[in-house]
Amino acid sequence: MKILDGKKISQDIKDELKKLVSNRIANGLKKPHLAAIIVGSDGASLTYVGSKVRACDYVGYDSTLIQLEESITEELLLEQINRLNKDKSVDGFIVQLPLPKGIDEQKILLAIDPNKDVDGFHPTNFGKMSLEMESFIPATPYGIIELLDRYKIETSGKNCVVIGRSNIVGRPVSILLSQKSKKGDATVTLAHSRTKNLKSITRNADIIISALGIPEFLKSDMVKEGVVIIDVGITRVPNDSSPKGYSIIGDVDYKKVSKKSIAITPVPGGVGPMTISMLLKNTFLACQRKD
Ligand code: GUN
């Protein structure tokens, strides 16, 4: 069984980007600049955004963090977005999700300039991705594809089951895996909460990507011998014996499922770190496009 070490691959990608940034500077070009807007003080969101900013420092990007009150109005948030759309020094930016109740997420995502939408959530980018046109690919699906690629896991002709149909992970990764492209050509089933007889579907899968957010949902009797498992789940579960007071638990019963797998991502240290490095990659591409 091979552990798909997202932490290591993510570090490799960051080191590659760091070199590319040094080359840009040596050639008199600007550093990439990523901005992030966070609304409210949700612990998990603050942790993710903090990691994104630290990763920017590591690779040598400029970064800007805009923290806004939970009570901010939609109108004022749209003003901040417009400001970033116009700011020539900013190559790309993200609005950390989820947003507080009362703010229309779709309206906010639509307001982001697609050329700066390094999350790839704007309909223009999502549409282009779906049509296999050049676009920003959402960071988590992009990270999964990159991980499969760097570990040389064959997807062509494989039965691939994606569990969870979110716009951020499940749906885009299902689209990418079915395309005629790198790490595509798979036969994809997108399963979700209304799927019947899930076990009969997952037991046929060569590759399972679980993006549900239900701790240890995928049990060993749901998978076949020799399966490849990509676990996107990162649920915080209270744990008094951990210094943080919680543990991060994936969607997969790792201990038992790993025994039947030929390759599996751990949680933490699998898909999570890949998301950050692919966001940095998109930001580099956004910066390069502006040259
Ligand atoms: N919330 C959970 N994942 C993501 C992500 O990839 N980008 C943003 N902006 N918010 C998120």
Side-chain angles (χ1 to χ4, degrees), residues 10 27 34 38 49 64 83 91 114 131 133 153 199 201 208 225 238 259 279:
S10 167
N27 289 320
L34 174 69
I38 181 162
V49 172
T64 300
R83 207 171 53 76
D91 299 300
L131 295 168
M133 294 165 73
I153 291 173
K199 195 199 280 190
I201 297 169
I208 299 175
E225 260 331 307
K259 291 198 178 111
L279 176 67

Side-chain angles (χ1 to χ4, degrees), residues 36-39 68 72-82 84-85 93-114 116-117 119 121-123:
I37 297 180
I38 181 162
V39 183
L68 304 170
I72 192 163
T73 61
E74 203 172 88
E75 198 182 348
L76 284 175
L77 179 55
L78 287 168
E79 253 176 45
Q80 291 284 348
I81 290 171
N82 270 329
L84 291 175
N85 282 341
F93 67 96
I94 64 161
V95 178
Q96 186 66 29
L97 303 178
L99 288 167
K101 282 196 190 87
I103 294 187
D104 182 344
E105 210 161 270
Q106 272 189 358
K107 199 166 167 187
I108 297 302
L109 296 178
L110 265 170
I112 299 174
D113 176 351
K116 293 191 175 189
D117 169 40
D119 255 335
F121 294 166
H122 190 285

Side-chain angles (χ1 to χ4, degrees), residues 5-198:
D5 187 347
K7 201 169 164 191
K8 182 197 169 288
I9 302 293
S10 167
Q11 187 60 45
D12 292 347
I13 294 167
K14 283 190 282 186
D15 287 332
E16 289 160 22
L17 289 170
K18 197 172 176 170
K19 276 196 198 131
L20 289 171
V21 175
S22 300
N23 288 345
R24 283 187 66 85
I25 294 167
N27 289 320
L29 296 166
K30 80 180 270 295
K31 291 174 175 180
H33 182 177
L34 174 69
I37 297 180
I38 181 162
V39 183
S41 52
D42 173 68
S45 291
L46 283 169
T47 306
Y48 301 146
V49 172
S51 307
K52 289 169 187 176
V53 170
R54 272 196 306 283
C56 281
D57 289 344
Y58 180 81
V59 294
Y61 292 6
D62 286 327
S63 65
T64 300
L65 178 59
I66 300 169
Q67 272 186 278
L68 304 170
E69 294 287 331
E70 176 104 18
S71 57
I72 192 163
T73 61
E74 203 172 88
E75 198 182 348
L76 284 175
L77 179 55
L78 287 168
E79 253 176 45
Q80 291 284 348
I81 290 171
N82 270 329
R83 207 171 53 76
L84 291 175
N85 282 341
K86 285 187 196 135
D87 186 337
K88 290 206 165 55
S89 79
V90 172
D91 299 300
F93 67 96
I94 64 161
V95 178
Q96 186 66 29
L97 303 178
L99 288 167
K101 282 196 190 87
I103 294 187
D104 182 344
E105 210 161 270
Q106 272 189 358
K107 199 166 167 187
I108 297 302
L109 296 178
L110 265 170
I112 299 174
D113 176 351
N115 293 312
K116 293 191 175 189
D117 169 40
V118 283
D119 255 335
F121 294 166
H122 190 285
T124 295
N125 281 314
F126 206 94
K128 283 185 170 177
M129 177 198 72
S130 305
L131 295 168
E132 302 187 37
M133 294 165 73
E134 195 184 307
S135 68
F136 294 117
I137 297 171
T140 304
Y142 197 6
I144 293 168
I145 297 294
E146 191 71 19
L147 203 55
L148 293 171
D149 188 37
R150 294 207 184 205
Y151 276 100
K152 300 193 165 39
I153 291 173
E154 186 59 77
T155 55
S156 177
K158 301 291 181 189
N159 279 339
C160 188
V161 175
V162 178
I163 313 175
R165 56 182 158 182
S166 73
N167 291 339
I168 295 183
V169 187
R171 193 173 308 280
V173 84
S174 74
I175 292 169
L176 292 169
L177 285 162
S178 69
Q179 287 179 337
K180 267 189 203 169
S181 59
K182 184 172 100 168
K183 293 297 115 184
D185 289 325
T187 304
V188 182
T189 304
L190 180 55
H192 47 75
S193 53
R194 297 293 177 97
T195 297
K196 290 195 176 129
N197 298 323
L198 179 63

